[in-house]
Amino acid sequence: MPGFFTHYIAGQKVLEQLPQNIKDVILKRKSVYDLGLQGSDFFNYFGAPLKSDVSIHRMAMMLHERSVDEWMNLIYRYIDKQEDADKDIIVPYFYGYLVHYAVDCAVNPYILYRSGFITPNTPMPERFGIYRKRINNAIDQIMLKKHMNKEPKDINIDDMFWVTYAELLEICRMYPVNIKTIYGKDISREDVIKSYQDMNEKMKTRIKPGIMKPITAVFEKFSKEFTPGFFTKTVYEGFEDNIDFMNENHTQWLAPWDTRYTYTDSVDELFEKGIQNAVKLLTLVFDSYNDGETTSVQAIQAIGGNSFMTGIAWNAPLLLKFYDIIFKEEEEALKPKIEELLKNMD
C-alpha cells in the first residue's frame, strides 16, 4: 500500500526536496533507493499466484504492523555498524524504506476506511482484501497519470528498481537475522532474494497481463467469496470512473478505530503530508549518521514506531471498528448474501 507506482513517485518527490549532500548519497545508488521505496511489500509477490507461500506473504503485514519501533531501531543500528562499503548500499535502501513508511502512515488510514477490514461477526471478510487491492490499483494509475503522464503499460519496470546481484545480496542479508531477532520467524536470504525477483516479474505481468488477465479475474472471484486470497495484486486494467478514489470531493471519513476523529483530506493531501514527513526523517537520519547535531537516540525517536497501516503507534491488538466501503454497487449486490450469513451466525 498504497501502490507500487505511488511509492516510486513519492521517492522522486522526496528526492527533489532534499539538500544536495543527501541527494549525492542517494544518487550514487539511485536504483537501491528506488528498491527501498517498496518497503516490505515485496514479500507479497513471493510465488504468486500459483506457487504462493502464505507464511512469507504474511511477513509483509507483520513488518507493517508489529513491533515497528523495534524493527526500525534494529535496522538503524545494524546499518550504523556496517563497514563503509556496505553502508554505501544499505543507507540509500533505508532512506527509500523510510519514504515508504511515511507515505503508508499518511495514506493507509483512508484506504482502510474505504475498503473495510475484519471486525467481530463480519461475514465474507475475504472481500476486503480484494477491495483494498482495487483501491490501491486505482490510486496507482491516477497518480502515475498525474505525476508522470503515463499508464502502467508504458513503464519499463526494470528502470524503476533494477539493482546488481551484489547489491541485492547485501540488502537481503539483513532480513533473516533481524526478522528472527524481532519476530522469532525464520526466512532464508534465498527466499528474500526470490521475493524481490518475483516482484520484478509479477509487476511486468500486472502491467501487461496477457493470458493472466482472465485467470486473475477468476482467482479473485474465488478468493473474495470462498477463501482468503493471497494473490499479490490485481492486474492494472482501468478503474471505475464513477468512484471518487482520491476523495477529491473531500467526503468525510473516519479514523477506523475511533469516531471522534474525522477527516476530509484527499489522497493528494495525505500523500503530500507523507512526503513532508519523509523529508524530515531522511534529513535527521542523515545528520545522525554523519556526526551532525542529531544523536542516534533523537533519530530513532523521530522515526518512532507507527504502524504502517494506521499511522499511529501501537503494538497490541487494535480493534478497527468503522469503515464505509467505496464500492457501493458491489456491496449492494452482496447485501442479501451477507444478511443471510449474519442470520446463520446468530
Side-chain angles (χ1 to χ4, degrees), residues 226-244:
F226 298 102
T227 183
F230 286 89
F231 183 68
T232 175
K233 300 284 180 186
T234 52
V235 297
Y236 290 102
E237 54 179 1
F239 51 90
E240 298 88 341
D241 292 333
N242 62 329
I243 295 178
D244 183 16

Side-chain angles (χ1 to χ4, degrees), residues 44 53 60 69 88 119 140 153 190 198 216 224 249-250 254 259 272 297 320 331:
N44 284 319
D53 187 324
D69 52 347
D88 285 347
T119 61
D140 229 17
K153 63 182 175 59
E190 289 71 27
D198 284 358
T216 300
K224 185 171 68 175
N249 294 325
H250 292 91
L254 305 177
T259 55
E272 183 58 32
V297 172
L320 302 177
E331 280 294 284

Side-chain angles (χ1 to χ4, degrees), residues 10 13-14 17 103 271-280:
K13 297 288 182 185
V14 169
Q17 299 181 39
V103 172
F271 181 70
E272 183 58 32
K273 287 180 183 177
I275 288 172
Q276 295 310 313
N277 288 338
V279 170
K280 292 175 188 173

Side-chain angles (χ1 to χ4, degrees), residues 10 15 50 65 72 75 132 136 165 217 249 259 261 266 268 288-289 307 321:
L15 187 57
L50 301 178
E65 285 188 335
M72 292 297 199
I75 297 297
R132 194 143 53 245
N136 288 335
Y165 195 67
N249 294 325
T259 55
Y261 298 93
S266 67
D268 284 326
S288 69
Y289 277 154
S307 157
K321 303 177 182 178

